């Protein structure tokens, strides 16, 4: 039930960062056809990245940091 959202995509030679902030509230419901935050966290982890999601002062924030350099085995 957010009315506004902001998306920022930044990168440097080592990582890509995607940040989404909105003025809504978090829900724990899983809608049909997906797993929401759980699915995002799993996908970011598979790519060797970091994922954080949680309430902020006036809404909700999701941040994914993805490495741009190949992982070393």
């Amino acid at each position: 039930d957010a009315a506004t959202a902001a998306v920022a995509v930044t990168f440097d030679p080592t990582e890509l960062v995607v940040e989404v902030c909105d003025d809504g509230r978090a829900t724990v419901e899983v809608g049909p056809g997906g797993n929401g935050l759980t699915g995002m966290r799993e996908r970011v982890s598979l790519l060797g990245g970091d994922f954080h999601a949680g309430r902020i002062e006036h809404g909700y924030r999701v941040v994914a940091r993805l490495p741009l350099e190949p992982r070393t085995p």
Side-chain angles (χ1 to χ4, degrees), residues 1-9 18-25 56 58-62:
D1 54 336
T4 63
V7 178
V9 178
V18 179
E19 178 180 7
V20 179
C21 296
D22 69 25
D23 61 356
R25 60 186 175 89
I56 54 177
H58 298 289
Y60 204 76
R61 177 176 178 240
V62 175

Side-chain angles (χ1 to χ4, degrees), residues 1 22 24-29 37 54-55 59-60:
D1 54 336
D22 69 25
R25 60 186 175 89
T27 65
V28 293
E29 296 178 29
L37 296 174
R55 298 258 331 134
Y60 204 76

